[in-house]
Amino acid sequence: MLEKMWWRGAVIYQIYPRSFNDSNNDGIGDLPGIVEKLDYIASLGVDAIWISPFFKSPMKDFGYDISDYRDIDPIFGNLADFDELIEKAHALNIKIMIDQVLSHTSDQHQWFIESRESQTNDKSDWYVWADAKPDGTAPNNWLSIFGGMGWTWEPRRQQYYLHNFLTSQPDLNFHNPDVRQAVLDNVEFWLKRGVDGFRLDAINFCYHDAQLRDNPPKPKELRQSIGFDEKNPYAYQYHYFNNTQDENLGFIESIRALLDQYPGTVALGEISSEDSLKTMAEYTQGDSRLHMGYSFDLLTDNFTASYIKQVVKSLEASVSDGWPCWSISNHDVQRVVTRWGAKNNLTAAPNFAKMLFALISSLRGSVCSYQGEELGLPEGEIAFEDIQDPYGKTFWPQFKGRDGCRTPHPWAKDETNAGFSENTPWLPMIDSHKPLAVSEQDNEPASILNSYRAFTHWRKQHPALLYGDIEFIESAEDLLIFTRTFEQQKMLVCFNLSDAKQSFSTAAFNQLTEQTGHKLATATLADNTIELPAFACFYGEIK
């Protein structure tokens, strides 16, 4: 059964295609560029690739604004390139997952072009339209995550349309059954082409409150910014009505029913709500909803053992048979070695980067690992004139946008643009990334890259780390200690999150055998005490 559920305990490598590898030297990465690097990806020991959107798009939000769900934007290639990618990845035993952005489209999608023309056309009810208030203002107080009101006036219809993101990303009306079916048909198009699964972008945003009730204000002391910048007025509301509606559970079950017709395929939902862990538990409950969910709770600045324990314990308390997927980096947040390491000047500490990947891979669940994480890349510094992200332009200089984690992947230190492209890249190649290029780390046994490779392969030899239950053990604040238990195997896992030596007594464990071969900074076990140097890890089997 576990072999059939390949996604349980899987490491899913996220590729942001614009920045991975440019095969035709136009400065933008593409699908043939991914094909060229499949052997490298296979060497990482990952189980699957998740590819951020490559569909036809005006690129106002760099692919998350889709104008044709069934075609590939020419900057990334064509459907034949995608078919080649599927074939060659599968030959290397790598699964392919793709993004599906279902809650909204581009304003250049044919559905919206037709819908906005009148209040009586065939697509008139395919988006969220509403009349103005008597004074001409927006229908309610809903805000856009990207700044400003969540409503934009359309003079053709003399109505407002809803957009939870950019004005060029109108929200679909999922209360309309024709919309739901059309969306599912688009999803099935890719299932028929052989994809192994989907990462469902902002999946809890599909439905809105049909009564269009105002969101209540949130007290200043309770404002949080998980998933968006803390200076964004979006934090001023409880988002009870513009997303995460009860009706969405039915739509999720429709997605699962479709995937069940294609055995072995999987759905991973991105969830950002007022209580993301609770929503994640609901969305992954039983065998009729999503296979996995992930939230933004470990994509924050908070890097303490107590916070990580609190997040994982909260999820474990609410999920029963659900399965989490953990992520500490992606295309929307500051790179983790900077986000979690800058305060203590740890950004360039190789053992720190090695430990972070081991930590996230040792929790109960699957793992999304973002390109460059295997190299220990820090956040790229981008000058204002080079910023492409509309989110960053809106909130500059307090928030510099998402471009710093989207810069080109460094392949070869001494080649033009570090081997990414012979032409000027769409974002600058970061000078501090060049010494961390694949060419520099590939043949260095102690490199971050080779530690990543060693750990992914070593982890697969320990079923408790892939499938086991998790239980935390009380310890000093800088230590994160827990057990993973699966069938007859029980493992003790210890991490020193600090740059100072730490120790832990193992007197409570009668028989503890250290498990070696993971190629991480190693602790020592002697006289019932584990001594952990800075950023060291310990794995031991308990008998």
Side-chain angles (χ1 to χ4, degrees):
M1 178 62 70
L2 285 171
E3 288 180 5
K4 292 179 181 177
M5 293 191 292
W6 62 265
W7 44 273
R8 287 215 173 213
V11 176
I12 303 165
Y13 184 76
Q14 183 194 353
I15 291 178
Y16 193 71
R18 294 182 72 90
S19 300
F20 191 62
N21 185 42
D22 176 16
S23 70
N24 61 358
N25 293 311
D26 64 354
I28 298 173
D30 44 47
L31 295 182
I34 298 174
V35 173
E36 287 179 1
K37 299 298 183 181
L38 280 174
D39 286 338
Y40 168 79
I41 294 166
S43 80
L44 298 177
V46 301
D47 302 281
I49 303 169
W50 147 32
I51 309 173
S52 290
F54 47 79
F55 313 103
K56 203 164 186 183
S57 166
M59 299 294 163
K60 298 288 181 63
D61 191 23
F62 298 101
Y64 285 89
D65 50 326
I66 298 172
S67 58
D68 189 339
Y69 283 86
R70 302 192 187 195
D71 203 0
I72 290 169
D73 199 277
I75 66 171
F76 295 125
N78 54 45
L79 285 168
D81 295 325
F82 182 78
D83 292 341
E84 182 184 12
L85 172 60
I86 288 273
E87 180 183 358
K88 292 190 174 180
H90 285 173
L92 291 167
N93 200 29
I94 298 171
K95 309 287 187 183
I96 296 291
M97 299 176 66
I98 63 173
D99 245 309
Q100 291 288 274
V101 187
L102 306 184
S103 71
H104 56 269
T105 71
S106 163
D107 61 358
Q108 295 183 30
H109 194 291
Q110 193 58 43
W111 294 347
F112 186 75
I113 291 172
E114 184 175 346
S115 185
R116 72 184 179 190
E117 283 302 318
S118 72
Q119 298 187 27
T120 57
N121 65 74
D122 289 343
K123 296 288 190 299
S124 62
D125 194 32
W126 279 48
Y127 291 83
V128 183
W129 296 99
D131 293 332
K133 289 182 178 179
D135 62 359
T137 56
N140 60 29
N141 69 348
W142 296 352
L143 297 171
S144 162
I145 291 178
F146 288 170
M149 291 302 298
W151 298 94
T152 291
W153 180 254
E154 172 49 64
R156 296 171 183 84
R157 287 182 57 131
Q158 294 289 292
Q159 283 183 310
Y160 283 95
Y161 68 86
L162 176 67
H163 53 89
N164 278 291
F165 301 94
L166 295 176
T167 57
S168 56
Q169 293 171 301
D171 278 76
L172 285 163
N173 177 21
F174 278 78
H175 291 283
N176 184 333
D178 293 336
V179 170
R180 297 196 298 271
Q181 188 57 55
V183 168
L184 291 171
D185 290 345
N186 286 337
V187 171
E188 188 167 25
F189 174 85
W190 295 101
L191 288 168
K192 290 177 178 177
R193 291 200 96 88
V195 302
D196 301 289
F198 303 100
R199 180 264 190 183
L200 302 174
D201 182 74
I203 189 60
N204 58 303
F205 278 77
C206 291
Y207 276 85
H208 66 285
D209 173 48
Q211 299 177 52
L212 300 181
R213 287 171 285 187
D214 280 348
N215 283 326
K218 182 178 287 187
K220 186 173 183 180
E221 65 274 12
L222 297 179
R223 292 172 189 167
Q224 294 180 327
S225 57
I226 295 178
F228 52 91
D229 182 66
E230 62 184 9
K231 300 165 187 69
N232 190 333
Y234 196 78
Y236 287 44
Q237 295 180 356
Y238 287 106
H239 295 278
Y240 290 155
F241 297 117
N242 61 308
N243 61 56
T244 323
Q245 301 303 291
D246 291 342
E247 297 97 326
N248 207 37
L249 291 171
F251 178 64
I252 282 172
E253 290 170 356
S254 297
I255 294 175
R256 178 61 181 264
L258 174 60
L259 266 64
D260 284 348
Q261 298 174 37
Y262 294 82
T265 58
V266 62
L268 165 63
E270 178 203 39
I271 295 160
S272 176
S273 68
E274 286 297 333
D275 188 343
S276 293
L277 297 178
K278 177 177 178 289
T279 305
M280 194 164 140
E282 290 175 347
Y283 280 31
T284 59
Q285 183 180 6
D287 294 329
S288 62
R289 295 177 182 173
L290 303 181
H291 301 81
M292 296 182 285
Y294 86 86
S295 72
F296 291 81
D297 290 82
L298 292 184
L299 297 172
T300 65
D301 293 342
N302 196 336
F303 177 59
T304 61
S306 58
Y307 177 72
I308 295 169
K309 280 192 285 189
Q310 176 249 310
V311 168
V312 178
K313 282 182 174 181
S314 296
L315 180 65
E316 291 292 319
S318 55
V319 300
S320 51
D321 48 2
W323 191 255
C325 187
W326 299 107
S327 175
I328 53 175
S329 284
N330 68 17
H331 62 289
D332 282 334
V333 297
Q334 191 178 49
R335 285 192 175 273
V336 68
V337 294
T338 298
R339 199 176 72 249
W340 281 357
K343 290 180 181 177
N344 297 315
N345 199 29
L346 305 177
T347 297
N351 284 339
F352 180 64
K354 295 174 186 178
M355 180 201 66
L356 293 180
F357 177 67
L359 189 161
I360 198 71
S361 303
S362 298
L363 300 175
R364 177 183 175 268
S366 302
V367 183
C368 279
S369 178
Y370 182 50
Q371 67 183 47
E373 208 171 323
E374 78 277 18
L375 302 177
L377 297 185
E379 182 79 352
E381 285 293 326
I382 307 290
F384 177 73
E385 58 269 21
D386 293 326
I387 282 185
Q388 303 293 321
D389 183 15
Y391 198 3
K393 291 177 180 178
T394 299
F395 287 99
W396 181 277
Q398 283 76 18
F399 174 62
K400 297 181 180 180
R402 302 166 292 177
D403 290 337
C405 65
R406 299 177 175 184
T407 56
H409 198 79
W411 293 102
K413 177 185 174 183
D414 297 326
E415 292 184 11
T416 303
N417 297 311
F420 167 74
S421 176
E422 293 180 10
N423 206 337
T424 303
W426 76 286
L427 283 174
M429 173 59 70
I430 304 301
D431 287 339
S432 64
H433 288 181
K434 293 177 182 178
L436 296 169
V438 174
S439 64
E440 304 307 292
Q441 297 200 42
D442 210 14
N443 298 314
E444 172 53 54
S447 69
I448 299 168
L449 172 60
N450 281 319
S451 170
Y452 185 106
R453 287 167 167 160
F455 187 80
T456 56
H457 289 95
W458 177 84
R459 176 176 173 267
K460 290 176 181 177
Q461 301 167 24
H462 299 277
L465 293 178
L466 298 176
Y467 315 120
D469 295 333
I470 189 169
E471 185 175 346
F472 287 96
I473 296 171
E474 289 304 314
S475 62
E477 170 53 31
D478 288 328
L479 292 176
L480 185 68
I481 302 178
F482 51 87
T483 58
R484 298 290 308 279
T485 307
F486 179 73
E487 294 180 346
Q488 303 307 311
Q489 186 180 53
K490 185 172 185 177
M491 290 191 72
L492 177 69
V493 183
C494 308
F495 293 99
N496 179 3
L497 307 191
S498 75
D499 57 357
K501 185 177 179 180
Q502 304 286 336
S503 61
F504 175 72
S505 172
T506 62
F509 306 102
N510 293 328
Q511 197 171 348
L512 184 63
T513 305
E514 184 176 2
Q515 302 295 296
T516 58
H518 46 65
K519 301 289 181 71
L520 299 164
T522 307
T524 57
L525 172 62
D527 299 325
N528 289 334
T529 301
I530 300 173
E531 299 287 349
L532 296 106
F535 315 123
C537 311
F538 177 87
Y539 293 85
E541 188 161 358
I542 301 169
K543 295 296 186 182

